[in-house]
Amino acid sequence: MCKNKTTDFVAGCLIGWKCQCFLSDGTMVLCRRFPEIIGRLPEDSFEEIYLTNEKIKKYRRPQYFENCGSCIGWNYCRGCPAISNGEYKNPYKKPSICFAHLLDIDTHIEHTPVTMDTTLKEEADLIVKNSRQNHYKLTSGQGFSIKVLRVIRKLKRANEYTVFSENPGDWFSKNASELSTEEQSIVLFHYNRRALGFIDRNNKWTKWST
């Protein structure tokens, strides 16, 4: 979970979902910040490591996380196992950098445990399913409201984007004061995707599947 000076947005660990880290000798580790070895190329195939290694599979399952596993943002956040490991020698423990309480919503949820006994296809499908997680779905379980969509469309304008970049808090006060903190976090999430280059070839926002 991350926070800037004006509002909240969700960002977190990519281990097991979108992160693949290799050393120069082909050794594959969980993360550049958490160099736990899980395999090595070419002795092991990438498919075998990524889809069958027990260490990395655990990071795709909420039941192994002591606190994050019962949070509404688990699929997208999970804190930072590297920091947790450094702090507590336990990568599954809630890290001290957690800011879930700043979302101003009840973040507790009971996730369904995911079996470790999966085929290659089932594990790959699990990864694909998580990759399609929508930020708004994580925080409310519903679709965008009309007022949020209108604000996001307005922010797509070049001049508005520039003004927003300079002072998001002031921009919200003048242009979207009716939005709740949660709704503002959704708008900011879309802004961050654009700022980080998540746009398509036609300079339009990339649409996430739900």
Side-chain angles (χ1 to χ4, degrees):
M1 193 75 67
C2 301
K3 179 179 174 64
N4 75 353
K5 295 181 180 179
T6 56
T7 188
D8 311 316
F9 64 97
V10 177
C13 175
L14 299 178
I15 291 178
W17 299 129
K18 303 175 183 178
C19 176
Q20 301 92 37
C21 299
F22 295 90
L23 303 183
S24 59
D25 64 353
T27 298
M28 186 174 180
V29 295
L30 285 173
C31 171
R32 62 186 177 84
R33 295 179 176 178
F34 189 18
E36 182 171 354
I37 296 175
I38 56 175
R40 181 177 178 179
L41 300 178
E43 290 86 347
D44 307 311
S45 69
F46 176 79
E47 181 181 61
E48 180 183 359
I49 298 172
Y50 207 59
L51 299 180
T52 69
N53 182 274
E54 184 175 304
K55 292 179 181 178
I56 198 169
K57 288 178 70 172
K58 285 184 176 180
Y59 286 91
R60 303 185 186 118
R61 286 151 174 82
Q63 64 265 30
Y64 291 100
F65 287 78
E66 294 183 9
N67 297 95
C68 298
S70 58
C71 177
I72 198 170
W74 178 82
N75 295 73
Y76 194 81
C77 178
R78 296 181 298 167
C80 179
I83 290 180
S84 294
N85 190 62
E87 291 181 320
Y88 313 110
K89 304 301 180 184
N90 179 359
Y92 303 107
K93 192 176 180 65
K94 177 182 177 180
S96 62
I97 61 170
C98 178
F99 296 105
H101 61 284
L102 297 176
L103 290 176
D104 296 324
I105 58 174
D106 181 7
T107 60
H108 185 271
I109 187 174
E110 293 298 328
H111 291 285
T112 302
V114 180
T115 178
M116 290 283 285
D117 185 20
T118 55
T119 64
L120 294 180
K121 184 180 186 307
E122 289 171 338
E123 195 67 19
D125 288 343
L126 178 64
I127 296 172
V128 171
K129 180 181 179 181
N130 177 270
S131 298
R132 291 175 175 172
Q133 285 290 339
N134 181 291
H135 171 66
Y136 193 70
K137 184 177 181 181
L138 286 174
T139 56
S140 72
Q142 301 175 6
F144 290 149
S145 66
I146 296 299
K147 60 182 179 180
V148 170
L149 286 174
R150 287 174 178 170
V151 173
I152 290 176
R153 291 193 187 105
K154 184 174 184 178
L155 189 56
K156 291 180 183 179
R157 303 170 189 169
N159 61 321
E160 295 292 346
Y161 178 83
T162 300
V163 175
F164 183 90
S165 301
E166 296 173 351
N167 192 326
D170 185 60
W171 189 91
F172 276 125
S173 297
K174 295 178 179 178
N175 299 276
S177 59
E178 73 281 6
L179 296 187
S180 66
T181 300
E182 180 185 352
E183 290 170 329
Q184 288 183 14
S185 73
I186 297 167
V187 175
L188 186 61
F189 175 75
H190 279 259
Y191 162 79
N192 286 325
R193 283 180 62 77
R194 177 173 178 177
L196 292 172
F198 288 95
I199 51 179
D200 64 19
R201 295 178 181 177
N202 296 316
N203 200 34
K204 295 180 180 179
W205 293 65
T206 302
K207 180 179 180 182
W208 278 27
S209 301
T210 56

